Amino acid sequence: ADQDVNKRAKLVDRLLEDEAFADIWVMKWAERLQIRSSGNNNGISQKSAVLYYEWLRDQIAASRPMNDVVYDLLASQGGTLEEPATNFYELERDTLKLSENVVQTFLGARMQCAQCHNHPFDRWTMDDYYGFTAFFAQVGRKNGEDPREKVIFNRNSGETKHPLDGRDMTPTYLGGEVANIPKNKDRREVMAGWLTSPQNHAFNRNLSNVVWDHFFGRGITHPVDDVRISNPPVNEPLLDALAQRLVQTDYDMKQLIRDITASHAYQRSTRANDTNATDLTNFSRAQPRRIRAEILLDCITQVTQTEDDFRGLPPGARAVQIVDGNTSTYFLTTFGRSSRETVCSCEVVMEPNLSQALHLINGTTTNNKIKQGRVVRSLLEAGKTPKMVIDHLYRATLSRQPTEAELERVMKMVAASEKQNEALEDVFWALLNSKEFIFNH
């Protein structure tokens, strides 16, 4: 109903300033950075995980340029409690795996194949692999005063040897240029400066692609962390333009989001026409996609007016605010929440499956929350008519009024029931199980 021609831009600005914006993006980066406490697998102390997560959230909430955030991560040193960014080096201690993670997370390429042989589907050789790994050969770790703390430091010694001929590898940027490292300079600082430089097109394109993927459910290069010659972007000029725009705005992620959400591509309908009915890759129409696990649980919790209780968080905290990859529930696991065991984007599962459908229909989450929240009962006790209750449920779940056909059908069902409250709760249950509620469309 708003007649302001700038209403869309104003809405985007309002959402960007909402605290939920930082919650969503710290969750996404926490997945790629593997923030998880120690358990049977890799991890850090619970205290370190919380501090690391809070540090990351502070960076995003303050709208720090993303290249500065990544630089601070890669060049970090000090105690894992005093300098939370150093947990990046505590979460993965294997030097080879660490270098692979850096390339996959921040440059979008998978280097694993080049550990044993020249990459069969890309340009990377074993020399590239071990030359880049040499940047991390001198990372030192020691115990801190607090038994939960490790100290990350530069040992100023240690080399990476090529497995075929045993030679010490000179730190080399991906692409073949040997790094110029001053004496007593931490190799990681030099590498971090190169990786996050505005001249590093791979870094700029990767960040842009990650943001694009968030809003479209698919990257311009897809998956976002499998950049290779044999997997080119579907629209290279678009990816280059986004990367250039990111650099021009000093890596302002919010401005990039403004540009994307103002685009015709983002505003296209999911309804297919004769020209794009079979297109799934070129963004000629929007693709319906299931809401991801944490957000879906938060949506159900919000509309049923209930609370969740997650380990390490106060009652009422939302699923998107879970710090630890090791903290989960049956619902979150079933709907594909990342356990953060790897940096792979594939950790988040978005595909619908039978287990999810069965849990929504017969499981405890939806049914219990409808009963616990007492939304229907409270509305009836407040004197609302069945029609008014139905209108409320539609607005709360689907953000719209019921159509005339829907209202007529539902009212008949409620009128035929001897237990009005249960019939209306059935309507609530049906709305929470509808594709319109579960899918982003």
Side-chain angles (χ1 to χ4, degrees):
D2 190 346
Q3 298 302 308
D4 189 335
V5 294
N6 296 315
K7 65 180 181 180
R8 183 183 184 85
K10 289 180 178 179
L11 173 61
V12 170
D13 286 341
R14 179 169 64 81
L15 295 174
L16 288 173
E17 297 309 314
D18 194 293
E19 65 175 16
F21 172 84
D23 291 335
I24 294 291
W25 281 96
V26 71
M27 174 188 68
K28 290 180 70 70
W29 279 108
E31 292 164 356
R32 305 299 297 279
L33 298 176
Q34 298 177 266
I35 298 180
R36 55 185 284 124
S37 63
S38 56
N40 295 328
N41 302 309
N42 60 307
I44 52 182
S45 71
Q46 181 70 25
K47 183 176 179 64
S48 289
V50 170
L51 292 172
Y52 189 14
Y53 182 94
E54 290 179 345
W55 174 85
L56 183 59
R57 193 186 190 287
D58 288 343
Q59 310 306 301
I60 294 173
S63 297
R64 282 198 70 207
M66 284 306 296
N67 62 331
D68 290 344
V69 176
V70 175
Y71 179 92
D72 288 350
L73 273 174
L74 297 178
S76 60
Q77 58 182 327
T80 52
L81 300 183
E82 293 294 325
E83 301 291 340
T86 57
N87 285 287
F88 179 80
Y89 289 100
E90 184 61 12
L91 275 161
E92 183 53 71
R93 299 186 179 188
D94 181 271
T95 303
L96 300 183
K97 186 66 176 175
L98 175 61
S99 65
E100 292 172 5
N101 288 353
V102 169
V103 174
Q104 187 167 345
T105 302
F106 301 119
L107 300 179
R110 300 179 183 180
M111 291 280 289
Q112 291 86 337
C113 285
Q115 179 180 348
C116 303
H117 49 77
N118 294 342
H119 202 300
F121 306 116
D122 212 342
R123 59 185 289 195
W124 309 120
T125 66
M126 291 181 70
D127 283 355
D128 291 319
Y129 181 96
Y130 290 98
F132 189 76
T133 300
F135 282 111
F136 304 97
Q138 298 182 354
V139 176
R141 299 172 179 85
K142 61 184 180 181
N143 294 329
E145 293 183 6
D146 189 313
R148 297 168 296 182
E149 184 172 44
K150 299 292 183 181
V151 178
I152 308 300
F153 66 100
N154 178 30
R155 292 187 290 118
N156 288 313
S157 64
E159 302 295 340
T160 295
K161 294 186 178 296
H162 197 292
L164 296 185
D165 55 25
R167 72 184 188 274
D168 289 340
M169 297 300 294
T170 302
T172 306
Y173 305 129
L174 289 182
E177 183 182 349
V178 174
N180 179 20
I181 302 178
K183 187 177 181 180
N184 296 325
K185 180 78 170 181
D186 192 327
R187 294 178 176 183
R188 295 175 304 135
E189 293 181 13
V190 177
M191 179 275 302
W194 165 80
L195 189 144
T196 61
S197 166
Q199 284 70 50
N200 191 334
H201 300 302
F203 175 70
N204 303 332
R205 283 163 57 121
N206 178 59
L207 281 183
S208 303
N209 198 38
V210 167
V211 178
W212 182 275
D213 174 82
H214 173 77
F215 286 98
F216 288 84
R218 182 180 183 86
I220 301 170
T221 297
H222 190 77
V224 295
D225 56 353
D226 193 16
V227 175
R228 49 185 158 83
I229 293 173
S230 54
N231 184 33
V234 296
N235 190 329
E236 191 154 6
L238 171 60
L239 186 56
D240 286 338
L242 290 170
Q244 184 179 14
R245 176 67 169 164
L246 185 65
V247 173
Q248 290 172 345
T249 59
D250 192 25
Y251 295 88
D252 185 344
M253 190 168 69
K254 288 185 177 180
Q255 185 55 52
L256 182 62
I257 290 171
R258 289 187 184 94
D259 293 338
I260 290 174
T261 54
S263 69
H264 288 298
Y266 182 68
Q267 298 179 45
R268 287 178 183 140
S269 170
T270 56
R271 294 177 180 174
N273 57 39
D274 293 339
T275 66
N276 62 21
T278 60
D279 178 29
L280 300 176
T281 60
N282 294 296
F283 313 107
S284 59
R285 61 184 173 94
Q287 300 295 330
R289 51 200 168 102
R290 203 209 73 216
I291 298 174
R292 57 176 295 156
E294 298 93 332
I295 299 174
L296 181 56
L297 179 57
D298 286 341
C299 287
I300 295 172
T301 299
Q302 177 179 325
V303 298
T304 56
Q305 299 180 20
T306 55
E307 290 186 350
D308 290 301
D309 189 6
F310 302 112
R311 180 171 65 91
L313 293 174
R318 291 174 291 123
V320 294
Q321 297 173 314
I322 296 175
V323 171
D324 193 344
N326 274 322
T327 298
S328 193
T329 65
Y330 180 80
F331 181 97
L332 294 175
T333 300
T334 300
F335 280 82
R337 180 179 186 265
S338 170
S339 61
R340 304 178 188 172
E341 294 182 4
T342 73
V343 300
C344 184
S345 61
C346 60
E347 283 260 344
V348 177
V349 179
M350 294 292 290
E351 291 75 20
N353 59 49
L354 182 59
S355 295
Q356 296 167 8
L358 290 175
H359 183 66
L360 286 174
I361 294 171
N362 299 316
T364 58
T365 301
T366 304
N367 291 306
N368 286 359
K369 284 181 175 292
I370 288 174
K371 297 294 184 184
Q372 292 168 2
R374 301 182 77 255
V375 171
V376 170
R377 187 177 296 277
S378 296
L379 290 170
L380 291 174
E381 290 175 352
K384 305 295 183 183
T385 65
K387 180 183 181 302
M388 295 169 70
V389 173
I390 292 168
D391 285 345
H392 172 91
L393 295 178
Y394 266 82
R395 288 197 307 273
T397 55
L398 307 183
S399 299
R400 67 172 177 85
Q401 296 289 107
T403 65
E404 290 184 8
E406 287 172 332
L407 184 60
E408 181 181 0
R409 185 165 61 249
V410 172
M411 286 295 292
K412 284 182 180 179
M413 184 196 75
V414 173
S417 174
E418 295 180 0
K419 298 181 179 179
Q420 191 176 74
N421 180 70
E422 290 185 4
L424 289 169
E425 286 185 345
D426 286 345
V427 174
F428 200 1
W429 174 90
L431 290 170
L432 293 176
N433 278 279
S434 67
K435 291 181 181 178
E436 190 172 350
F437 179 78
I438 298 169
F439 280 75
N440 187 332
H441 54 88

